[in-house]
Amino acid sequence: LSSFCESQPPPAMSAHRLDTLARHVIGSQPFTQSLSPYPAAAGGQRPPVTSHVLDTGSGKPAQGVSVTLEMMEAGAFQKIGGDFTNSDGRCPKLLAIDHKLLPGVYRCTFDTKAYYAAKGEQCFYPEVPIIFEIKAINEHYHIPLLVSNFGFSTYRGS
């Protein structure tokens, strides 16, 4: 494999895709107020739970994905927030900046079927529910989703 990689330069588009994913995944750009998707009136602060979606098939942010945030109450999930991803794949209005978290189990659901249908494509996973538990209510929780037509991955972001 290494000799193949050395003899075959990657297409120019691959470098751009990798750069785009790297900026979003590992945050090679510093988070500054000027880059913040959150209102200047809030001092660039962010809500306690944030998310973003990257389409790994296109190497670009996934714009227009419906994201719903719910909290488990009395054995059932209750909606506490929601938004659509913007041109950067982020959901700046997923929760209010001043929302007070409670310890508990949460679910963040991404409507991938509608996203791919709008692109004229099909997908295997019509929605991606990510269930996570919050214990430390004063921490920030970032729920990123890397998605393609036939797979997805997530992790606890920062």
Side-chain angles (χ1 to χ4, degrees):
L1 179 63
S2 64
S3 62
F4 175 77
C5 292
E6 291 169 5
S7 65
Q8 300 291 324
M13 187 74 113
S14 295
H16 175 70
R17 286 181 181 171
L18 184 58
D19 181 58
T20 299
L21 288 172
R23 279 195 333 261
H24 289 283
V25 175
I26 62 173
S28 61
Q29 291 183 351
F31 183 82
T32 65
Q33 187 169 340
S34 63
L35 295 175
S36 173
Y38 307 106
Q45 292 179 319
R46 55 190 174 181
V49 178
T50 57
S51 181
H52 75 268
V53 184
L54 299 173
D55 184 333
T56 59
S58 68
K60 297 179 181 178
Q63 182 176 4
V65 177
S66 174
V67 182
T68 304
L69 184 61
E70 302 164 292
M71 181 181 178
M72 178 76 72
E73 294 180 30
F77 282 105
Q78 304 296 321
K79 183 177 177 179
I80 61 170
D83 195 10
F84 285 87
T85 55
N86 62 18
S87 62
D88 196 33
R90 298 181 186 276
C91 294
K93 298 177 185 173
L94 184 59
L95 271 181
I97 289 173
D98 60 353
H99 183 90
K100 301 298 181 207
L101 289 178
L102 298 172
V105 176
Y106 291 76
R107 177 171 64 190
C108 193
T109 304
F110 302 84
D111 185 356
T112 50
K113 183 175 184 174
Y115 167 72
Y116 282 108
K119 293 176 60 171
E121 300 177 22
Q122 294 185 357
C123 67
F124 185 69
Y125 298 99
E127 66 179 21
V128 177
I130 299 172
I131 300 172
F132 58 99
E133 185 171 11
I134 290 179
K135 293 182 181 180
I137 61 171
N138 293 324
E139 291 185 20
H140 174 258
Y141 295 88
H142 185 64
I143 313 300
L145 177 67
L146 304 177
V147 66
S148 73
N149 303 64
F150 301 101
F152 65 89
S153 179
T154 189
Y155 56 94
R156 180 179 175 184
S158 58

